[in-house]
């Protein structure tokens, strides 16, 4: 990765207090590692999460864990303030509501929060500036009364650092042959992610196996649905996976059926790994994907259209190649690691000079 322009005065304190795993947590790790590669002087404060700490430290990041689950989340502000007192940051960057609520105002320091969803503003009172990763998030914040001059649109990047997974082919692990067509979907097993739509479409895609990477409260319900539709032998529930790069290498096609999706890291990652993408036309995918050019879109909750779009992409190798190429071009136009890192660094410098 080319060196970016890093101010020698920048001291970045990043705070991520979410206890679980998900899209925002994964991008936090990606961006923190990218900052580290760029030479940013940073300190990361996270909720206790040994695996996340190990991954970040393996990439050279300095990490401090604090207790922030349950009632202890109310003590997080004191812990973060104490850490900041020693580190003396020029910029504090919070990830989501719990972290933003833990920030305190400091002389000579600007407070930012990065939002990837439609959150209320009550937790962001200590922030000077907000970063949204899609136009719809920016519009949401402005609709709640946050002034546009104190916001910036900076999206995500698609590349995965080496620290977050290998690139081996997983077909042997799942008992698949080279002839099997493999669909991949990633996300929490939650109603918003609409894995049920894709499972319902699978009887109309008889040649394909479906890999579902994610965990959540709907697992038993989704497993029962696959059994009732007699496709259980072709649906593989993988749980939460860190080897995202390996899963993309295994897949012939990525399908992203989310009912609600402000951005959709999966779209960017599919483009980065050269995998064709089919997605429901929720907020983020509809912003990123030009239907028929760099992917295919289908109406939200439309099982038949999902099956038809998936079959069309699987059967048309020219369409696959065109979508992969155009997806790579869109990625390189504004969603690569160097571009996104530079935009953050320019914002940090701009705000520090105000």
């Amino acid at each position: 990765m080319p060196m970016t322009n890093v101010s020698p005065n920048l001291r970045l304190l990043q705070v991520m207090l979410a206890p679980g795993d998900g899209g925002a947590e994964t991008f936090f790790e990606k961006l923190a590692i990218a900052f580290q590669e760029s030479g940013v002087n940073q300190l990361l404060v996270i909720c206790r999460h040994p695996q996340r700490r190990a991954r970040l430290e393996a990439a050279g990041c300095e990490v401090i864990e604090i207790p922030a689950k349950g009632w202890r989340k109310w003590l997080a502000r004191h812990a973060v303030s104490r850490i900041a007192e020693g580190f003396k940051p020029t910029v504090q960057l919070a990830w989501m509501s719990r972290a933003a609520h833990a920030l305190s105002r400091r002389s000579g320091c600007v407070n930012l929060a990065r939002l990837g969803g439609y959150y209320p503003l009550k937790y962001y009172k200590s922030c000077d500036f907000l970063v949204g990763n899609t136009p719809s998030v920016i519009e949401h914040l402005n609709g709640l009364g946050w002034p546009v001059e104190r916001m910036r649109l900076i999206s995500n990047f698609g590349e995965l650092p080496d620290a977050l997974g290998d690139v081996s082919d997983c077909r042997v692990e799942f008992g698949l042959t080279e002839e099997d067509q493999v669909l991949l979907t990633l996300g929490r097993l939650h109603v918003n992610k609409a894995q049920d739509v894709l499972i319902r479409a699978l009887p109309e895609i008889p040649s394909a196996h479906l890999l579902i990477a994610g965990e959540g409260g709907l697992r038993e319900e989704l497993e029962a649905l696959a059994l009732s539709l007699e496709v259980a032998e072709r649906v593989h529930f993988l749980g939460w996976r860190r080897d995202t790069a390996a899963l993309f290498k295994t897949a012939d096609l990525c399908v992203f059926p989310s009912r609600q999706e402000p951005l959709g890291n999966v779209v960017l990652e599919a483009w980065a790994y050269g995998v064709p993408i089919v997605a429901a036309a929720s907020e983020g995918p509809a912003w990123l994907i030009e239907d028929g050019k760099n992917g295919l879109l289908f109406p939200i909750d439309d099982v038949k259209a999902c099956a038809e779009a998936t079959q069309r992409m699987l059967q048309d190798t020219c369409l696959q190649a065109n979508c992969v190429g155009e997806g790579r071009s869109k990625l390189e136009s504004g969603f690569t690691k160097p571009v996104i890192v530079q935009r953050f660094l320019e914002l940090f410098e701009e705000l520090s000079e105000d």
Side-chain angles (χ1 to χ4, degrees):
M1 174 179 173
M3 287 298 293
T4 49
N5 298 319
V6 181
S7 169
N9 299 319
L10 175 62
R11 296 178 64 82
L12 174 63
L13 180 68
Q14 292 203 69
V15 184
M16 161 60 85
L17 300 181
D21 293 295
E25 293 86 344
T26 297
F27 188 66
F28 160 74
E29 294 184 30
K30 289 169 61 173
L31 187 62
I33 293 170
F35 282 154
Q36 196 69 26
E37 294 171 345
S38 298
V40 172
N41 182 4
Q42 65 174 345
L43 175 62
L44 311 179
V45 179
I46 66 171
C47 179
R48 285 178 178 166
H49 193 304
Q51 297 83 7
R52 178 168 296 138
R53 177 172 186 163
R55 289 190 294 269
L56 291 167
E57 289 183 336
C61 301
E62 183 179 356
V63 183
I64 296 177
E65 289 178 294
I66 64 173
K69 295 180 182 179
W71 63 269
R72 290 182 176 84
K73 66 184 179 182
W74 304 110
L75 303 178
R77 173 172 287 192
H78 174 73
V80 172
S81 180
R82 175 174 47 80
I83 293 166
E85 185 66 31
F87 183 64
K88 295 180 172 53
T90 57
V91 175
Q92 295 186 121
L93 175 59
W95 290 74
M96 297 185 293
S97 302
R98 188 177 301 189
H101 188 61
L103 295 186
S104 57
R105 293 192 176 275
R106 309 187 62 79
S107 176
C109 178
V110 60
N111 288 352
L112 287 79
R114 180 268 187 194
L115 292 85
Y118 310 117
Y119 303 114
L121 289 177
K122 62 181 180 179
Y123 298 110
Y124 297 88
K125 295 178 180 178
S126 64
C127 293
D128 304 299
F129 205 89
L130 300 180
V131 174
N133 66 351
T134 69
S136 65
V137 171
I138 296 293
E139 291 168 7
H140 165 78
L141 295 171
N142 186 236
L144 294 178
W146 193 275
V148 292
E149 63 270 18
R150 292 171 55 202
M151 291 187 287
R152 184 71 54 84
L153 171 62
I154 305 179
S155 197
N156 296 9
F157 58 80
E159 305 97 312
L160 284 160
D162 293 340
L164 298 185
D166 60 44
V167 291
S168 60
D169 194 312
C170 298
R171 285 176 183 264
V172 173
E173 177 185 349
F174 308 129
L176 305 176
T177 69
E178 290 300 319
E179 288 71 38
D180 288 320
Q181 291 182 308
V182 179
L183 310 180
L184 172 66
T185 192
L186 305 95
R188 290 176 299 126
L189 306 186
H190 184 278
V191 63
N192 285 350
K193 299 298 183 180
Q195 290 96 349
D196 60 298
V197 171
L198 186 49
I199 292 173
R200 293 181 191 279
L202 206 59
E204 304 303 318
I205 317 168
S207 62
H209 283 252
L210 171 61
L211 308 183
I212 300 179
E215 197 54 85
L218 292 184
R219 178 157 183 164
E220 289 186 6
E221 181 178 324
L222 293 172
E223 289 176 334
L225 176 62
L227 278 170
S228 70
L229 295 172
E230 300 182 349
V231 295
E233 291 184 355
R234 296 192 286 124
V235 180
H236 307 265
F237 290 89
L238 312 185
W240 183 257
R241 301 283 292 231
R242 299 303 316 181
D243 56 344
T244 307
L247 297 179
F248 275 108
K249 182 178 179 181
T250 301
D252 296 297
L253 175 62
C254 182
V255 186
F256 197 49
S258 289
R259 296 181 170 95
Q260 184 182 56
E261 196 65 52
L263 175 62
N265 284 315
V266 172
V267 176
L268 300 175
E269 290 169 355
W271 286 345
Y273 283 95
V275 177
I277 181 82
V278 171
S282 48
E283 302 93 329
W287 173 55
L288 292 169
I289 295 173
E290 298 174 72
D291 187 37
K293 183 176 180 181
N294 52 25
L296 294 179
L297 294 170
F298 62 88
I300 295 169
D301 272 329
D302 192 326
V303 173
K304 181 180 178 182
C306 174
E308 290 175 348
T310 300
Q311 281 284 65
R312 178 186 170 195
M313 187 70 85
L314 285 173
Q315 294 171 0
D316 191 336
T317 56
C318 289
L319 177 63
Q320 292 175 26
N322 289 338
C323 287
V324 166
E326 292 291 338
R328 167 59 67 175
S329 296
K330 181 73 171 280
L331 187 80
E332 292 177 348
S333 72
F335 301 93
T336 61
K337 181 164 57 175
V339 169
I340 299 304
V341 168
Q342 188 61 41
R343 286 177 182 168
F344 269 103
L345 295 179
E346 289 171 355
L347 177 61
F348 295 159
E349 185 168 6
E350 174 187 323
L351 294 176
S352 296
E353 292 175 350
D354 289 346

